[in-house]
Amino acid sequence: MIRARPEQQVPLDDRGLAYGDGLFETVLVRDGAALLWDEHLARLSRGSRVLGIPLPPANELERLPLQAGPGLHVLKFILTRGSGGRGYLPSSAPTPRLVWQLAPFTPQPQRWQAGVRARHCRLRLSIQPVLAGIKHLNRLENVLARREWSDPDVAEGVLCDSGGRLIEATCMNLFWQRGGRLETPRLEGCGVAGTLREALLERLALTEVDVGPEALIEAEAVWLGNSIQGLWPLAQLDDADGTPCRRWVIGDMHRALQVEAHALLDYPVSFEV
Amino acid sequence: MIRARPEQQVPLDDRGLAYGDGLFETVLVRDGAALLWDEHLARLSRGSRVLGIPLPPANELERLPLQAGPGLHVLKFILTRGSGGRGYLPSSAPTPRLVWQLAPFTPQPQRWQAGVRARHCRLRLSIQPVLAGIKHLNRLENVLARREWSDPDVAEGVLCDSGGRLIEATCMNLFWQRGGRLETPRLEGCGVAGTLREALLERLALTEVDVGPEALIEAEAVWLGNSIQGLWPLAQLDDADGTPCRRWVIGDMHRALQVEAHALLDYPVSFEV
């Protein structure tokens, strides 16, 4: 296992660069302790099985969050298949490469409090069940979707797959309450199975569903969430052309799920903005 | 434009590494002259428009093949969006990064002469019209398909999309003659539009078609080709479990298309193996 510090680099022939042949995780670290660490390791492990990339020893990964000082940081690490192989054919005994960085992080309490505006993206996610759910390095669809808007007041973009099913936002998972039931999109064809989503699925009566974007219009409350930012209530959803198609008043229903999610991340449950 | 020599590297925050946010080309270079150079530049240019990554000045690229000494080389260059941006959102004024290497190359005349064996892959390519045809860095599907076999006697794997349409091989395009007509898969939903394929489409009565894998069974002759290896006749096609499903006798019909393709690459048209 090759170790790289933030100042280090990967060579031109690294397969992560050449083909996106690798995985990554971004982890919230508070005072040197990683949040939702088991969920991050579980997803990395699923990805490593799908791609056939050996995992680093557990203690190689365990020591990464420990390098952070006091306060909040985001740990990002990338595990590539390393160099070697012939073209697309990987080496039968790859030497994976682990690179990582720690960066200070400040959350956005005003988004917890007042909620955010999101818009539908035009891009449709392609359906590839083999790669669905894992956090691999082939993320051009996310980049193209995120390039669809530049208005800083629009916090996220909502993505459907090529079959019209609601999947996720560009870097967050979707949750909503509809007819009193908590739901989140099933991610069997595409999308990233976020660690906050995994933790909420384990703990709550949260149901994975195959639905179209009309489910958001019908919802009493909608949230966007991930393991770094926590849970943002959705206050307004716009069409892909920027026309508002639904607004929500942020209230107790929104706070109830935030309490559950923020407990997992040691984020506050009442906010002073 | 950042220039990198073969010994150089890309930093951890390069978007090519982080997201596969970039493009690449592999170019056959004979005695310092690039073959099918216009086609490579045209594809790179299409990709740069799709992704919104500025192209390097033409003379930056033109000088790369000139670095090769006498004989045959493969030039590989990668153009990434560089570093910067916030998460998936690219910088509005990216500084692309160009890295490249030249490696000596030896073609395989025995494959030109006797043809090759290929097998169907189990993996189905996902359909993403926005990214179809261009040579971007999100190539995990190709890697996973290529991992499906290790028998060195199997030269390539044939890929269909999730709708069952024949698309390409893992690193080559497909061509066949059926009922006297030359055909190649239409690549509007996925696949890489190879430069040899582009050059043949410009020059020959070669038709792009939407067909299933049965077209190969019906074909009088099948070829696999790219701008590095030239054209390999298909001598045997196996199922995904390795069971032969069709054999072809290599004959004059195969040579006729090889003559056209190899003229574009300055490869011989009669082979001594």
Side-chain angles (χ1 to χ4, degrees):
Chain A
M1 183 65 47
I2 297 161
R3 288 158 219 135
R5 289 301 303 268
E7 65 277 17
Q8 289 185 322
Q9 306 194 315
V10 307
L12 171 54
D13 66 357
D14 183 88
R15 298 177 61 96
L17 173 63
Y19 309 129
D21 193 3
L23 301 159
F24 71 112
E25 292 289 332
T26 52
V27 183
L28 186 67
V29 179
R30 183 187 304 278
D31 300 330
L35 282 301
L36 297 175
W37 186 242
D38 290 346
E39 285 80 2
H40 286 289
L41 289 188
R43 181 172 61 187
L44 183 72
S45 176
R46 279 201 306 281
S48 96
R49 282 194 301 276
V50 170
L51 302 189
I53 296 178
L55 280 184
N59 65 352
E60 288 290 311
L61 295 172
E62 302 284 353
R63 72 185 182 82
L64 301 185
L66 302 176
Q67 319 289 313
L72 276 183
H73 290 79
V74 170
L75 165 67
K76 174 169 181 171
F77 65 88
I78 298 177
L79 178 71
T80 79
R81 205 189 299 269
S83 301
R86 287 184 301 110
Y88 292 128
L89 180 65
S91 160
S92 58
T95 302
R97 185 172 279 118
L98 179 67
V99 294
W100 57 278
Q101 65 183 7
L102 276 159
F105 177 71
T106 307
Q108 301 180 71
Q110 74 285 2
R111 291 187 165 181
W112 295 335
Q113 174 67 29
V116 299
R117 198 169 129 210
R119 71 190 290 167
H120 280 292
C121 291
R122 292 180 204 283
L123 182 122
R124 295 283 172 263
L125 294 169
S126 63
I127 297 174
Q128 178 49 273
V130 176
L131 295 173
I134 66 172
K135 198 154 174 140
H136 57 71
L137 296 174
N138 278 200
R139 303 262 72 107
L140 265 179
E141 290 185 326
N142 305 66
V143 172
L144 292 181
R146 186 59 190 81
R147 286 185 76 230
E148 290 190 23
W149 81 96
S150 54
D151 180 350
D153 290 340
V154 176
E156 254 290 19
V158 171
L159 286 159
C160 293
D161 71 13
S162 56
R165 284 172 291 261
L166 203 52
I167 301 296
E168 62 186 2
T170 69
C171 69
M172 300 183 114
N173 285 121
L174 279 169
F175 308 89
W176 62 85
Q177 181 171 321
R178 190 172 56 140
R181 286 160 53 94
L182 274 179
E183 297 176 332
T184 190
R186 194 187 305 280
L187 303 179
E188 294 193 350
C190 51
V192 176
T195 53
L196 178 62
R197 175 181 178 277
E198 288 295 306
L200 292 175
L201 281 168
E202 282 166 25
R203 287 164 178 80
L204 302 179
L206 170 62
T207 309
E208 297 175 274
V209 293
D210 282 315
V211 293
E214 67 283 358
L216 296 181
I217 302 300
E218 299 161 7
E220 295 100 53
V222 182
W223 300 262
L224 301 162
N226 67 27
S227 65
I228 306 296
Q229 299 285 359
L231 218 53
W232 296 342
L234 191 59
Q236 180 178 326
L237 179 63
D238 295 350
D239 279 342
D241 60 7
T243 308
C245 53
R246 176 79 154 89
R247 289 186 175 88
W248 292 265
V249 176
I250 310 303
D252 292 345
M253 192 186 300
H254 291 92
R255 301 304 171 210
L257 188 61
Q258 277 181 307
V259 166
E260 301 284 347
H262 285 200
L264 296 166
L265 299 169
D266 291 341
Y267 275 150
V269 294
S270 71
F271 323 114
E272 294 183 15
V273 181
Chain B
M1 183 64 51
I2 297 161
R3 289 157 218 135
R5 292 299 303 267
E7 65 277 16
Q8 288 186 322
Q9 306 194 315
V10 307
L12 170 55
D13 67 357
D14 183 88
R15 298 177 60 95
L17 173 63
Y19 309 130
D21 193 3
L23 302 159
F24 71 112
E25 292 288 332
T26 51
V27 184
L28 185 66
V29 179
R30 183 186 305 278
D31 301 330
L35 284 298
L36 298 176
W37 185 242
D38 290 347
E39 284 80 1
H40 285 289
L41 289 187
R43 181 173 60 189
L44 183 72
S45 177
R46 280 200 306 279
S48 97
R49 282 194 301 276
V50 170
L51 302 189
I53 297 178
L55 280 184
N59 63 353
E60 288 289 313
L61 295 172
E62 302 284 353
R63 72 185 181 82
L64 301 185
L66 303 176
Q67 319 288 315
L72 276 183
H73 290 80
V74 170
L75 165 67
K76 174 169 181 170
F77 65 85
I78 297 176
L79 178 71
T80 79
R81 204 188 300 266
S83 300
R86 286 185 300 112
Y88 292 128
L89 179 65
S91 159
S92 58
T95 304
R97 185 171 279 119
L98 179 67
V99 293
W100 57 279
Q101 63 183 8
L102 276 159
F105 177 70
T106 307
Q108 301 180 72
Q110 73 286 2
R111 291 187 165 181
W112 294 336
Q113 173 68 28
V116 299
R117 198 168 127 210
R119 72 190 289 166
H120 279 292
C121 291
R122 293 182 204 280
L123 182 124
R124 294 283 172 265
L125 293 169
S126 63
I127 297 174
Q128 178 49 273
V130 176
L131 295 173
I134 66 171
K135 198 154 174 137
H136 56 70
L137 296 174
N138 279 199
R139 301 261 73 107
L140 265 179
E141 290 185 326
N142 305 66
V143 172
L144 292 181
R146 186 57 190 82
R147 286 185 77 229
E148 289 190 25
W149 81 96
S150 54
D151 180 350
D153 291 338
V154 176
E156 255 290 20
V158 171
L159 286 160
C160 294
D161 71 13
S162 56
R165 285 171 290 260
L166 206 50
I167 301 296
E168 63 186 1
T170 69
C171 69
M172 300 182 113
N173 285 122
L174 278 169
F175 308 91
W176 61 85
Q177 182 171 321
R178 190 171 57 140
R181 286 161 52 95
L182 273 179
E183 297 176 333
T184 190
R186 192 186 307 279
L187 303 178
E188 295 192 351
C190 52
V192 176
T195 54
L196 178 62
R197 175 180 177 278
E198 288 295 304
L200 292 175
L201 280 168
E202 283 165 24
R203 287 164 177 80
L204 302 179
L206 170 62
T207 309
E208 297 175 275
V209 293
D210 282 315
V211 294
E214 68 282 356
L216 296 181
I217 303 299
E218 298 161 8
E220 296 98 55
V222 182
W223 301 262
L224 300 163
N226 67 28
S227 66
I228 306 297
Q229 298 285 359
L231 219 52
W232 296 342
L234 191 59
Q236 180 177 325
L237 178 64
D238 296 349
D239 279 343
D241 60 7
T243 308
C245 54
R246 176 81 151 87
R247 290 187 175 87
W248 292 265
V249 175
I250 311 303
D252 292 346
M253 192 187 300
H254 290 92
R255 300 305 170 210
L257 188 61
Q258 277 181 308
V259 166
E260 301 284 348
H262 285 201
L264 296 165
L265 298 169
D266 291 342
Y267 275 149
V269 294
S270 70
F271 322 113
E272 293 184 16
V273 182

